[in-house]
């Protein structure tokens, strides 16, 4: 089992990161939370979850053990796969998800794109005790990047398309949000778009 990978951050976008280690580039699927933590770094260390199915083999990377721990708990819930868990961790950070589960906040979990009321209830029922036992207090610091509107819009759009959203719908939502909040950061733009799509 792989635990982490440490090396040069060669490429990064809100859904993927490529880390070079000993001449090999490892492509990792990441959440918006991890992207916020690593986007300005030259070198990084990401904790790994190795996902293997008969037709695909993927690495998911996390900037903290806490985020990986929440991810692995989420994918144990019936009906939640790695991509849904990544979407959840892109919409809410690890601490927000844990707090919502511990407080039984169905609406908070249901507000995540692709999560219905039954799945939200199942997440709370299945994970409340596990999270209660796993005491962890480190919340990753959120880093924000301020760039001009156009690159932010195109980066957000490509991230949303990579997450499986229709390009036209995503484009419309991104433009609407930027009209309301012209100085919106990339991270917030994607978070707000995920809530509206």
């Amino acid at each position: 089992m792989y635990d982490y990978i440490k090396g040069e951050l060669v490429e990064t976008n809100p859904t993927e990161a490529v880390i070079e280690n000993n001449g090999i580039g490892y492509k990792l699927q990441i959440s918006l939370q991890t992207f916020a933590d690593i986007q300005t770094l030259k070198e990084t260390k990401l904790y790994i979850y190795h996902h293997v199915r008969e037709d695909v083999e993927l690495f998911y990377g996390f900037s903290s053990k806490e985020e990986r721990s929440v991810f692995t708990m989420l994918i144990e819930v019936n009906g939640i796969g790695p991509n849904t868990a990544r979407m959840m961790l892109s919409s809410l950070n690890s601490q927000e998800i844990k707090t919502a589960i511990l407080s039984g906040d169905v609406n908070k979990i249901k507000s995540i794109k692709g999560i219905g009321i039954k799945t939200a209830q199942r997440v709370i029922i299945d994970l409340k005790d596990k999270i209660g036992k796993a005491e962890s207090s480190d919340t990753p610091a959120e880093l924000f990047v301020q760039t001009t509107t156009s690159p932010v819009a195109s980066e957000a759009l490509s991230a949303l398309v990579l997450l499986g959203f229709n390009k036209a719908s995503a484009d419309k939502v991104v433009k609407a949000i930027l009209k309301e909040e012209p100085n919106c950061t990339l991270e917030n733009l994607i978070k707000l778009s995920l809530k509206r799509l």
Side-chain angles (χ1 to χ4, degrees):
M1 179 64 187
Y2 300 98
D3 187 43
Y4 66 83
I5 182 166
K6 191 176 180 181
E8 185 188 347
L9 187 60
V10 181
E11 280 176 47
T12 183
N13 66 53
T15 58
E16 291 178 339
V18 176
I19 294 180
E20 186 178 321
N21 178 291
N22 286 326
I24 299 171
Y26 296 89
K27 185 183 272 190
L28 306 161
Q29 308 297 307
I30 60 170
S31 71
L32 191 53
Q33 189 178 157
T34 289
F35 173 70
D37 289 343
I38 68 169
Q39 62 181 328
T40 58
L41 304 177
K42 285 196 167 74
E43 297 226 340
T44 191
K45 173 181 177 179
L46 291 183
Y47 295 94
I48 303 263
Y49 173 80
H50 187 199
H51 177 66
V52 183
R53 266 193 351 230
E54 19 180 276
D55 60 335
V56 72
E57 190 171 339
L58 296 168
F59 285 117
Y60 287 83
F62 308 93
S63 60
S64 69
K65 283 187 174 181
E66 181 192 27
E67 187 186 6
R68 180 176 65 180
S69 163
V70 172
F71 176 88
T72 54
M73 282 193 246
L74 287 170
I75 61 173
E76 286 172 17
V77 177
N78 190 21
I80 294 183
N83 275 335
T84 304
R86 178 174 67 157
M87 173 80 77
M88 292 175 80
L89 286 161
S90 291
S91 300
L92 302 171
N93 68 36
S94 310
Q95 201 56 51
E96 288 171 329
I97 289 174
K98 285 160 74 172
T99 304
I101 291 168
L102 289 170
S103 64
D105 192 344
V106 174
N107 289 330
K108 184 98 168 171
I109 295 167
K110 194 170 70 75
S111 72
I112 300 165
K113 173 75 181 169
I115 304 291
I117 190 152
K118 285 185 180 173
T119 306
Q121 288 168 337
R122 200 179 304 124
V123 166
I124 290 166
I125 292 163
D126 290 3
L127 300 182
K128 200 168 190 173
D129 289 343
K130 278 186 187 177
I131 287 173
K133 286 175 193 167
E135 295 276 316
S136 177
S137 60
D138 26 69
T139 314
E142 292 203 1
L143 303 171
F144 293 96
V145 65
Q146 198 67 45
T147 56
T148 58
T149 307
S150 180
V152 168
S154 77
E155 186 110 23
L157 183 60
S158 66
L160 293 163
V161 170
L162 280 168
L163 286 168
F165 292 100
N166 173 285
K167 190 173 181 178
S169 308
D171 187 44
K172 198 174 173 184
V173 169
V174 165
K175 282 178 181 164
I177 293 165
L178 283 173
K179 207 171 190 177
E180 295 160 24
E181 297 182 47
N183 298 322
C184 195
T185 64
L186 176 59
E187 183 188 5
N188 283 339
L189 179 57
I190 296 169
K191 278 189 179 181
L192 291 167
S193 299
L194 287 172
K195 285 180 181 171
R196 294 192 194 185
L197 282 162

